[in-house]
Amino acid sequence: MALGVWAIVGWIVLGGFVTLFMGVLAWRYLNGRRQAGYLSLTEFWVYSTASRLPQTQAIMDYMIAKNPHNRPHKAAITQREGALFTDIRLHIALAKREKNPQAFRPDLFDSDAVPSAEALQALAESTTFAKLRFVSHVPLPDHRHLQFMTHLAAAMCRLLRGTLIFDTVSEVFYTPEELGQALTRNNDAERFDLQVRVVWRRQGQGFECQTLGLRKVGRPEMLTNLQEPDEEVLVTSLMRQAAERLFAHSAARLPIEVDEHGDTFVVSETATKAGVTTVKLVRKRSAAKSDS
């Protein structure tokens, strides 16, 4: 009988080594496909007073069968996105206020995160937040992770009776109603206008324009040098057009030509540092104008 016990132990140990070996192979496979400098980061914080995370089965149920944003012949989460439930790049955790006090006032650290009075009240009353994070150093073939993560945030909010959702990359606060309405209007969460925004901010003696959200698709954010105050409409439009091109087409690269008010402008890179590309905007002279 003792021999039988040791045989069982031996099989368990062997199984452990096989599992470890397969894990190492999987790690090497994923890391072997990494691209230097590539980072795709999508992250939502769902604030509530919940003391624990819901079971995985409940999350899946709320995202698929009980998703209020499903449409006839257009389910919000299909097999295409559902595979991400078991993706090792997905991380879900519950953070408590006592251990992460700064996370309950992200507007104090992110200058472009501007909470409403309702959002501030929700932050003050929350005791925990669910951290939903998807990060990849391997180039992504498409934007299915944006569909998955946005609907995951909405489902988690319903399950936890959450009061606020914070998109940490775009630096946007959503009430449950606001995100719900956005997905009710269009349950396609891979769209540019839901994932990326262009901000105009004062900086020193001038103004600068920056994208927030391109990191979600593995792109550095774009930032202009100082601009004049009266250039806001033009510059933000040019930056938005260039950002949309980079967001939609993985093969697109700077410099990019964009049109505005009958003129062609070139958006080109001057430097990239810490995940931000500084760009310059130059009006392109046409041959007709050059000859006149």
Side-chain angles (χ1 to χ4, degrees), residues 37-55:
Y38 182 91
L39 172 65
S40 169
L41 171 64
T42 305
E43 183 172 285
F44 292 93
W45 294 353
V46 181
Y47 293 89
S48 72
T49 57
S51 59
R52 64 180 62 184
L53 290 170
Q55 296 293 320

Side-chain angles (χ1 to χ4, degrees), residues 9-65:
V9 172
W11 279 110
I12 292 174
V13 172
L14 178 60
F17 277 117
V18 170
T19 301
L20 178 62
F21 177 71
M22 295 302 293
V24 170
L25 287 181
W27 182 88
R28 291 187 62 184
Y29 173 72
L30 286 173
N31 283 272
R33 295 163 58 214
R34 288 190 176 203
Q35 177 177 307
Y38 182 91
L39 172 65
S40 169
L41 171 64
T42 305
E43 183 172 285
F44 292 93
W45 294 353
V46 181
Y47 293 89
S48 72
T49 57
S51 59
R52 64 180 62 184
L53 290 170
Q55 296 293 320
T56 302
Q57 185 58 48
I59 299 173
M60 294 174 66
D61 194 28
Y62 267 61
M63 286 184 69
I64 301 174

Side-chain angles (χ1 to χ4, degrees), residues 106-108 110-117 119-120 123 166 170-174 197 199:
D107 55 302
L108 299 180
D110 297 326
S111 61
D112 297 301
V114 183
S116 64
L120 285 173
L123 288 169
F166 181 49
S170 297
E171 298 183 22
V172 176
F173 292 99
Y174 295 100
R197 67 185 183 122
V199 298

Side-chain angles (χ1 to χ4, degrees), residues 57-131:
Q57 185 58 48
I59 299 173
M60 294 174 66
D61 194 28
Y62 267 61
M63 286 184 69
I64 301 174
K66 295 180 180 178
N67 193 326
H69 308 297
N70 285 333
R71 296 289 177 270
H73 311 296
K74 189 180 179 182
I77 300 298
T78 65
Q79 185 177 2
R80 170 181 178 265
E81 298 84 22
L84 297 183
F85 275 116
T86 56
D87 197 302
I88 62 173
R89 294 169 293 186
L90 173 66
H91 177 70
I92 302 176
L94 188 72
K96 298 182 178 180
R97 178 185 288 273
E98 56 264 30
K99 294 185 178 181
N100 306 272
Q102 72 283 353
F104 289 78
R105 282 303 302 273
D107 55 302
L108 299 180
F109 304 94
D110 297 326
S111 61
D112 297 301
V114 183
S116 64
E118 185 179 0
L120 285 173
Q121 182 177 354
L123 288 169
E125 295 175 351
S126 299
T127 57
T128 60
F129 68 90
K131 183 178 182 180

Side-chain angles (χ1 to χ4, degrees), residues 22-285:
M22 295 302 293
V24 170
L25 287 181
W27 182 88
R28 291 187 62 184
Y29 173 72
L30 286 173
N31 283 272
R33 295 163 58 214
R34 288 190 176 203
Q35 177 177 307
Y38 182 91
L39 172 65
S40 169
L41 171 64
T42 305
E43 183 172 285
F44 292 93
W45 294 353
V46 181
Y47 293 89
S48 72
T49 57
S51 59
R52 64 180 62 184
L53 290 170
Q55 296 293 320
T56 302
Q57 185 58 48
I59 299 173
M60 294 174 66
D61 194 28
Y62 267 61
M63 286 184 69
I64 301 174
K66 295 180 180 178
N67 193 326
H69 308 297
N70 285 333
R71 296 289 177 270
H73 311 296
K74 189 180 179 182
I77 300 298
T78 65
Q79 185 177 2
R80 170 181 178 265
E81 298 84 22
L84 297 183
F85 275 116
T86 56
D87 197 302
I88 62 173
R89 294 169 293 186
L90 173 66
H91 177 70
I92 302 176
L94 188 72
K96 298 182 178 180
R97 178 185 288 273
E98 56 264 30
K99 294 185 178 181
N100 306 272
Q102 72 283 353
F104 289 78
R105 282 303 302 273
D107 55 302
L108 299 180
F109 304 94
D110 297 326
S111 61
D112 297 301
V114 183
S116 64
E118 185 179 0
L120 285 173
Q121 182 177 354
L123 288 169
E125 295 175 351
S126 299
T127 57
T128 60
F129 68 90
K131 183 178 182 180
L132 317 175
R133 192 169 192 259
F134 186 88
V135 59
S136 178
H137 295 282
V138 175
L140 299 169
D142 51 44
H143 296 170
R144 73 184 67 182
H145 64 293
L146 299 180
Q147 179 79 355
F148 178 87
M149 291 298 291
T150 307
H151 282 275
L152 171 61
M156 189 69 76
C157 192
R158 295 193 301 275
L159 277 164
L160 298 179
R161 297 182 180 178
T163 55
L164 191 68
I165 300 159
F166 181 49
D167 181 337
T168 69
V169 180
S170 297
E171 298 183 22
V172 176
F173 292 99
Y174 295 100
T175 64
E177 295 75 21
E178 288 170 341
L179 184 57
Q181 289 169 6
L183 294 175
T184 295
R185 288 192 299 270
N186 184 352
N187 72 355
D188 177 8
E190 297 179 31
R191 62 188 191 272
F192 174 86
D193 65 310
L194 187 62
Q195 300 295 344
V196 182
R197 67 185 183 122
V198 177
V199 298
W200 177 265
R201 69 169 80 94
R202 179 179 288 278
Q203 184 67 28
Q205 299 302 310
F207 290 82
E208 63 185 14
C209 187
Q210 183 175 351
T211 63
L212 293 173
L214 286 180
R215 279 189 298 162
K216 297 176 184 180
V217 294
R219 299 280 195 176
E221 302 296 354
M222 293 191 297
L223 173 69
T224 67
N225 50 18
L226 292 185
Q227 306 290 318
E228 295 296 328
D230 60 355
E231 296 293 323
E232 178 179 0
V233 174
L234 174 62
V235 171
T236 54
S237 177
L238 296 177
M239 289 285 279
R240 180 175 298 277
Q241 290 183 63
E244 283 194 78
R245 197 93 54 85
L246 293 171
F247 181 88
H249 306 288
S250 60
R253 295 289 184 273
L254 295 175
I256 288 176
E257 293 188 2
V258 294
D259 296 323
E260 186 71 18
H261 300 309
D263 287 323
T264 298
F265 294 81
V266 180
V267 182
S268 58
E269 175 183 351
T270 60
T272 296
K273 183 179 180 181
V276 177
T277 295
T278 303
V279 298
K280 63 179 180 180
L281 315 174
V282 178
R283 180 180 279 104
K284 185 178 181 180
R285 294 177 61 85

